[in-house]
Amino acid sequence: MAPPGPILRMRGIGKRFPGVKALDGVDFRLLPGEVHALMGENGAGKSTLIKVLTGVYDIDDGEMELEGRPAAFSSPLAAQQAGISTVYQEVNLCPNLSVAENIFIGREPRRLGHIRWKRMRHRAGELLHRLDLDLDVSAALSTYSLAVQQMVAIARAVDVEAKVLVLDEPTSSLDAGEVAQLFRVMRRLKEQGIAILFVSHFLDQVYEIADRMTILRNGRLVGEYLTSELSQVELVGKMIGRELADLERLEGRPLARETGPLVEARDLGRAGAIEPFTLTIHEGEVVGLAGLLGSGRTELARLLFGADHAGTGSLRIAGEAANLRTPRAAIHRNLAFCSENRREEGLVPDLTVRENIVLALQAARGWTRPLPRRRQDELVAKYISALNIRPADPEQLVQNLSGGNQQKVLLARWLILEPRLLILDEPTRGIDVGAKAEIQRLVAELSDGGMAVLFISAELEEVLRLSHKVGVLRDRRLVAEVDNDEGLTSEVLTETIASGAAS
Amino acid sequence: MTVSPTSSGPLTLLRHRLFWPVVILVALLLLNVVFTDHFFSIEVKEGHLYGSLIDIVRFGAPLILVALGMTLVIATSGIDLSVGSVVAISGALACLQISDLGDQDSVGGVLGAAGVALLLSLVLGAWNGVLVAAVGIQPIIATLILMVAGRGLAQLITGGQIITVNSSPYKLIGGGYWLTLPFGIIIVLVVLALTAFLTRRLALGLLIRSVGGNAEASRLAGIGARGVVITVYTFCALCAGIAGLMISSNVSSADGNNAGLWIELDAILAVVIGGTPLSGGRFSLGGTVLGALIIQTLTTTIYSIGVPPETTLLFKALVVTVVCLLQSPAFRAKVVRRRRPAGVSPVAEEKVRVHA
Ligand SMILES: Nc1ncnc2c1ncn2[C@@H]1O[C@H](COP(=O)(O)OP(=O)(O)OP(=O)(O)O)[C@@H](O)[C@H]1O
Ligand SMILES: [Mg+2]
């Protein structure tokens, strides 16, 4: 069976940024009706290749062919009109517009020049329904969680009449259920002959959906492989250029010693966000939170940190009653909260890597007591190497870093505070396999040193690997609290999430 | 991804943030040489420095001050339209008090008058800051209130008249000399040094840029954004207050109607020409000083080359448009690419903000 010719072919692609060669002589091809995974570590050049392909960036070297004809797009719009539909890594929708408007922006159904709002809402609803999502499409997008926003971006992309669909880490904040929905849609599109380019750091997902993969390392092409002919171990080896020794299995978590309670929340709640819950976190304890999208994990964390005001209940920190009105107050009590939404709630794009890392520490000291530059440099250098932030240049603007490296910068900001309770909301979002293991090890180490951690992740394995105890949320309620012992597996946890019964 | 040393040499100079403002300033100055003899000569007469260049800085001093304050406000992604009114109020209040003095030449009396005027400026600035940070009114609206009401307040203080004073200590502020330098220039240098100290040596600059760059992220990082914003508006009004003293001192009178009229627009322009984006998150004090000097030089140039009075505004608008276009990286990229060989599509470096 002769394979059909590629629908898209890129040859010798090069892209330079000041001081960085992001892509260097990369070849890439995409066949119709295949799912093609683009693999590589954080900063390998995946998103850059996608942005070059879709006209966000100019090509410095190399050429591109779409359906056998030379092509170069002057803008993402031009690429879209040529049949390439893209979901970029950082969801870029308009939070102030409604869900329906976001889906149809630029291609609103019209009659005689007038937008047909009713029809637009109806079609948006239908479209989301196909992804198993039931939303109020006339509500502002900002009222929904990041995961829902990601799904809306995907809904928009799959609705466009396209020959090529590009998805840059679409699943980074989705949980198993949504991923399954997305994969169903992808398979259907694939059957229609659409070529799909897919980026993910979840190897299991890649092996489930991709037919073929292209691996990049440091901006260079490593090779193109059939998924069925490359084992996961080989893949990781090619991505990082060496064998990854002990990727999995942190040695069995020691149960938290008998330590005093650090944070005690009693009937803490906020109308519309999370029902009153009672939760105790001990020193040195890692508490995981599990639950479906929209189950209230982030909302719970925000209440503990004072990012939102609690309507009911009380909070005690280290035995003292605490009424946290602002994050500032929480930080003064040695709490830290690393948000899942690094773009809106985390990084300041115009500041450098160094400035972003020291920001919370400097804020805690106040502007009259600047952190000495020597101390800043020391701290920053320490975390750049501990988290392997690349490029290892503290004076680079953080907006120029790859998504995974930005996430590491955000994490470093909170780690240097050395808080007593560290709340991590999806801390490994968009982080590659090697760095993920590194971060998990760091969390385990810190908790052994006495720091308490509240760990939120859509990835159940990760929650199980790290936590001493797991809180399960459903429909904005904390429905169960389970000790993480031998009996707790991801199957049991999934069941608890689904049924909501305490085990 | 291979990290290579950043290229140096003429290209880096070209890419320097302040390259274009400097070029424009130099061009304007050179243009003056054609029309004014001895334009660049500076001489010492009776222990005072004289010359066209000195005059530009001297007359530009109030604008530089107002623009410095405006820079910090804009860096928090705000704006302050009320600076013109604060200029008028501060001048009016100082002159009113001095005219009530038994001895207008009393140094203590003048200092007291200036102090009260500056204190009122601080209060007005704090009012702006509270409206923006605590009440949550959009900066442009919040400061529009004082822009309009402030003129009324200045009228009230002067009683609708122009107050003239005859006080030599007061005259020093805007028209006098100290250590051969015009006193106004010394004030500018002091305020500039103070601003640089607060923003660079202390951490105020970092917090301002953070609040301007991403307010919600700053809040979650524990920055007291409210305090930062109020500080910045207060500082801006203080600068405007000092400028008000200078302006009224220079003419020995206070005019509630016309003092500082439209200075907010020149100040905003100076800030933007200096490379501080209106969207906030970044600022350049040096750029702002250059921007203010460009505007002042432009005003001087208009007089010296004899542009007919009825077209001065038009001429100024034209030059400002050119300056702003030259300053815009997007515009420069367009022009450069136009000239590139055909076959390559004319695309800007990054046309949409799509993040990594
Ligand atoms: N606008 C830019 N300016 C300077 N450097 C950039 C810019 N965009 C990307 N880079 C650099 O190019 C390299 C590749 O980045 P890219 O975003 O393509 O990585 P990636 O493979 O998508 O990584 P991740 O898995 O973290 O998303 C990185 O080193 C990054 O720092
Ligand atoms: Mg990426």
Side-chain angles (χ1 to χ4, degrees), chain B residues 38-326:
Chain B
H38 312 299
F39 182 76
F40 280 126
S41 76
I42 294 176
E43 44 191 310
V44 185
K45 266 192 250 166
E46 303 157 29
H48 297 166
L49 282 179
Y50 280 99
S52 308
L53 291 182
I54 299 290
D55 280 346
I56 288 177
V57 186
R58 187 158 74 107
F59 294 127
L63 178 60
I64 297 178
L65 282 184
V66 174
L68 278 178
M70 188 71 81
T71 306
L72 298 193
V73 169
I74 287 180
T76 63
S77 70
I79 198 141
D80 188 349
L81 297 183
S82 71
V83 284
S85 296
V86 175
V87 163
I89 291 171
S90 146
L93 189 58
C95 286
L96 178 72
Q97 286 174 282
I98 292 172
S99 66
D100 285 346
L101 286 178
D103 170 18
Q104 293 205 3
D105 284 340
S106 126
V107 174
V110 168
L111 276 181
V116 170
L118 293 186
L119 205 66
L120 179 61
S121 307
L122 285 175
V123 171
L124 293 174
W127 159 265
N128 278 335
V130 168
L131 284 189
V132 171
V135 184
I137 304 180
Q138 285 194 10
I140 197 165
I141 303 299
T143 59
L144 190 65
I145 297 175
L146 187 59
M147 177 186 179
V148 176
R151 286 279 161 204
L153 187 58
Q155 287 291 316
L156 218 60
I157 293 172
T158 60
Q161 313 277 307
I162 294 180
I163 304 181
T164 44
V165 293
N166 188 6
S167 157
S168 53
Y170 191 59
K171 183 78 189 171
L172 172 75
I173 299 176
Y177 284 82
W178 198 50
L179 298 175
T180 76
L181 274 179
F183 198 67
I185 296 185
I186 294 176
I187 294 182
V188 164
L189 289 178
V190 170
V191 174
L192 184 61
L194 181 75
T195 320
F197 175 76
L198 287 176
T199 54
R200 299 229 179 138
R201 268 307 156 95
L202 301 186
L204 189 60
L206 175 64
L207 301 195
I208 287 175
R209 285 182 295 137
S210 174
V211 169
N214 188 341
E216 179 59 10
S218 303
R219 187 179 82 91
L220 289 174
I223 295 176
R226 232 176 245 194
V228 171
V229 170
I230 294 177
T231 307
V232 157
Y233 279 89
T234 310
F235 178 77
C236 181
L238 177 66
C239 288
I242 301 174
L245 296 183
M246 274 187 194
I247 290 173
S248 75
S249 144
N250 195 34
V251 293
S252 288
S253 66
D255 177 351
N257 260 335
N258 294 311
L261 198 62
W262 306 132
I263 200 171
E264 61 279 344
L265 297 187
D266 276 348
I268 293 169
L269 210 56
V271 173
V272 173
I273 291 176
T276 298
L278 282 178
S279 50
R282 268 186 292 144
F283 66 88
S284 159
L285 296 178
T288 294
V289 173
L290 273 176
L293 288 176
I294 288 174
I295 291 175
Q296 189 59 40
T297 311
L298 183 57
T299 312
T300 310
T301 312
I302 287 173
Y303 289 119
S304 63
I305 69 177
V307 175
E310 60 276 17
T311 52
T312 47
L313 284 181
L314 207 59
F315 181 79
K316 197 170 168 183
L318 255 168
V319 176
V320 165
T321 310
V322 171
V323 171
C324 289
L325 284 180
L326 275 179

Side-chain angles (χ1 to χ4, degrees), chain A residues 115-156:
Chain A
I115 296 179
R116 303 170 62 191
W117 294 103
K118 224 168 130 190
R119 182 170 162 71
M120 183 161 117
R121 282 195 293 271
H122 183 69
R123 279 194 47 200
E126 265 178 13
L127 206 59
L128 290 169
H129 201 70
R130 273 199 290 177
L131 287 169
D132 239 16
L133 222 55
D134 198 11
L135 306 180
D136 173 7
V137 296
S138 49
L141 186 72
S142 58
T143 55
Y144 290 104
S145 72
L146 199 64
V148 172
Q149 297 189 16
Q150 209 165 34
M151 290 299 273
V152 170
I154 293 168
R156 174 189 157 79

Side-chain angles (χ1 to χ4, degrees), chain A residues 16-18 20-23 40-51 57 89 168-169 199 201 216 219 342 390-391 396 399-406 430-432, chain B residues 1 350 356:
Chain A
R16 282 178 302 275
F17 295 110
V20 175
K21 227 175 192 177
L23 293 175
E41 287 182 288
N42 292 135
K46 304 179 296 293
S47 300
T48 306
L49 187 71
I50 287 170
K51 288 182 189 171
Y57 294 141
Q89 184 170 3
D168 193 352
E169 299 196 29
V199 178
H201 288 294
L216 300 180
R342 64 171 171 258
R390 286 190 293 171
Q396 179 74 256
Q399 61 184 345
N400 291 342
L401 261 56
S402 79
N405 283 301
Q406 291 183 357
I431 282 188
D432 65 40
Chain B
M1 177 202 73
E350 190 175 357

Side-chain angles (χ1 to χ4, degrees), chain A residues 180-200:
Chain A
Q181 285 304 329
L182 173 62
F183 283 4
R184 262 202 3 235
V185 173
M186 281 168 69
R187 288 202 183 92
R188 207 180 54 229
L189 294 173
K190 184 174 126 171
E191 273 159 26
Q192 294 165 13
I194 292 175
I196 302 178
L197 172 54
F198 177 73
V199 178
S200 172

